[in-house]
Amino acid sequence: MTLLTIGQVAQRAGIRPSAIRYYESLSLLPKVPRQNGQRRYQPDVLDRLAFIQVAQQLGFSLKELHQLLGNAAEESQLATRWQTLASRKLAEVELLLTQAQTMQQLLHQGLRCGCADLSTCLDCVVANCQPIGEKGAGRKRVRMH
Amino acid sequence: MTLLTIGQVAQRAGIRPSAIRYYESLSLLPKVPRQNGQRRYQPDVLDRLAFIQVAQQLGFSLKELHQLLGNAAEESQLATRWQTLASRKLAEVELLLTQAQTMQQLLHQGLRCGCADLSTCLDCVVANCQPIGEKGAGRKRVRMH
DNA sequence: GTAATAGTTCAAGTGAACTTGAAGTCAAGA
DNA sequence: TCTTGACTTCAAGTTCACTTGAACTATTAC
């Protein structure tokens, strides 16, 4: 078995070793066995780190990830608790999806618009360019939530 | 015309007056006219605030928003600069979209799985539940980027 | 008149997520 | 042997995005 040093893990995950130690201190990563006092990781820690990074970009805090990943020592209702959080987070992710789609259209049309800044484009894409929604009539503002 | 006080704007936007002053200090919002020393806002400031809030949730920093919204005093190449940033951000938003879709599926299946925590589910959804990708065969790990 | 409410500025404080620095250990290579 | 590089711990520092506190002004209600 090829165990990885913290430096190797950090390089492959695209983060710093200090971040990995920080995650361990928060119990986001398990304590791993040592060789001469140095941490040695199984390669599957990269999956865990990839999950953490994606979840963070989607707005999950490290505290939430800690609960979600079930490292908390609170045994009572742990199962129900992470599922409560997960379903709340699912709703947030779904909202984020629609927001990202709207922003995608806005940026896409703003780029084809030739405006001096996005502030102008916020009006411009509705008034002068192709409509951002399915209905392009009227002086409708871009509202995203 | 019905101008709004900072408190009214804050309430309608769901933020604190202090955040609005902070945005103004960063030139994310324009300086507005005063009555007796107090800021008075046109209602369309709510659109700008809505845009800021959504963009933030999508991972835009306030510094980036400042550039995007074109409030910077750097006249030279301002137009090309915001478009460079916008196209970079468009790519990021599109990556976020696929990540959010993957996370949506993961959470959705994790919730139907009955696992004790999401950490277990990260393996479980692939091994025991319906496949998360189009191909469900094999011991394929969930990797999101 | 006075109390409550909402606004003002400016400086300092806060929480999250790390990073950096100091001081030390360990193994490999010249 | 000695230097280099990567690791260790722990405390303190940094950045971002605000918030809070102090001291003040202005309007409205009683």
Side-chain angles (χ1 to χ4, degrees), chain A residues 128-142:
Chain A
N128 304 326
C129 305
Q130 295 115 317
I132 199 166
E134 54 282 337
K135 299 184 198 306
R139 181 89 187 133
K140 190 168 148 284
R141 284 294 182 130
V142 182

Side-chain angles (χ1 to χ4, degrees), chain B residues 16 18 22-23 36 56:
Chain B
R16 309 260 186 113
S18 60
Y22 177 62
Y23 292 158
N36 303 315
Q56 272 190 290

